[in-house]
Amino acid sequence: MLKIGLTGGIATGKSTVSRLFRKQGIPIIDADKMARIVIEPGGKAFAAVREAFPQCFSGDTLNRQALGREIFHDDAKRQLLNQLMHPAIREEMLEEMRGYEAAGRTVVIFDIPLLFEGTMRDLVDYTVVVYCREEIQLMRLMERNGLTKAEAFARIHAQMPIEEKKQQADFLINNNGALGDLSAQVAHLVEQFEDMKKEGG
């Protein structure tokens, strides 16, 4: 099975590209979705997170805004949360991948926002980065989230620079242009993945 990691920066269009890959029939394993699942009651990280951050829970209900506030300005707490959640997220992703493999799927995409920053790079064979220039990223983020230029700039610069991710990519999807152009690039990549699979990766 060919395992592709999909990543990008905030407001570069990764979610749109993920949807386009899904429309092309490629299964998507979504790290953000898994992050929500593992901290639901009965989830793999639920008990550990509740023990570490009891002030963010009311019974079995997690107050996500409260947890966000706890970790936003505190690196130690953010690292602790990541340590508790990442192994559980990884396990969920691998379980889903094995399900697709058992069903005979030959290519799967791991949609991981922090692919290069985090601990999941080894899950994938190749990486795809959705790229756009920073000024476009800034404009899209301001429009999408109703942020000031300074707020949008701060969010962009809290991540690894998109130019750095671009350098690390095996494949690049350029999202400086129109949606139709994006669809064509995704379709072309799907053909490449299928060819790589036939050739044995």
Side-chain angles (χ1 to χ4, degrees):
M1 177 180 258
L2 194 63
K3 299 181 285 292
I4 307 291
L6 175 66
T7 194
I10 191 168
T12 58
K14 181 183 65 63
S15 299
T16 303
V17 168
S18 190
R19 282 195 297 275
L20 290 169
F21 272 120
R22 192 176 268 125
K23 275 175 78 174
Q24 289 275 341
I26 306 260
I28 306 288
I29 299 173
D30 185 339
D32 282 348
K33 187 179 111 185
M34 298 304 174
R36 291 191 293 274
I37 288 170
V38 299
I39 50 173
E40 286 172 359
K44 289 183 170 73
F46 175 78
V49 172
R50 186 168 65 171
E51 193 178 324
F53 298 94
Q55 68 278 24
C56 299
F57 285 80
S58 172
D60 278 355
T61 307
L62 169 63
N63 182 330
R64 290 172 191 276
Q65 283 77 22
L67 184 61
R69 284 193 297 271
E70 281 285 327
I71 65 167
F72 192 69
H73 296 294
D74 191 323
D75 279 347
K77 284 183 181 176
R78 188 160 59 245
Q79 281 172 10
L80 171 61
L81 184 66
N82 286 341
Q83 282 163 14
L84 297 173
M85 287 184 63
H86 281 180
I89 294 168
R90 188 188 187 91
E91 212 175 304
E92 287 281 353
M93 293 178 89
L94 286 170
E95 277 177 27
E96 191 170 335
M97 183 202 79
R98 284 191 285 267
Y100 286 126
E101 203 164 16
R105 306 308 290 262
T106 56
V107 181
V108 70
I109 286 178
F110 287 86
D111 181 338
I112 305 175
L114 301 178
L115 181 63
F116 296 129
E117 297 94 326
T119 56
M120 310 224 183
R121 175 68 182 81
D122 66 310
L123 288 178
V124 302
D125 304 313
Y126 298 97
T127 60
V128 175
V129 169
V130 184
Y131 168 83
C132 70
R133 295 192 306 276
E134 190 179 274
E135 63 267 26
I136 294 175
Q137 199 181 0
L138 192 66
M139 186 180 72
R140 284 179 184 156
L141 187 56
M142 286 165 68
E143 283 176 10
R144 188 185 80 187
N145 291 30
L147 302 176
T148 65
K149 190 171 184 177
E151 287 167 340
F153 204 71
R155 291 200 187 184
I156 288 168
H157 285 265
Q159 298 185 334
M160 181 190 287
I162 193 65
E163 295 296 335
E164 206 173 310
K165 290 186 180 185
K166 180 184 177 183
Q167 298 305 319
Q168 294 191 37
D170 295 310
F171 300 95
L172 200 66
I173 289 182
N174 186 318
N175 191 20
N176 288 319
L179 184 61
D181 183 39
L182 212 53
S183 300
Q185 289 182 74
V186 168
H188 179 62
L189 265 185
V190 169
E191 283 175 21
Q192 280 185 267
F193 297 155
E194 295 300 342
D195 289 345
M196 286 158 63
K197 194 64 205 128
K198 284 173 198 157
E199 291 161 14

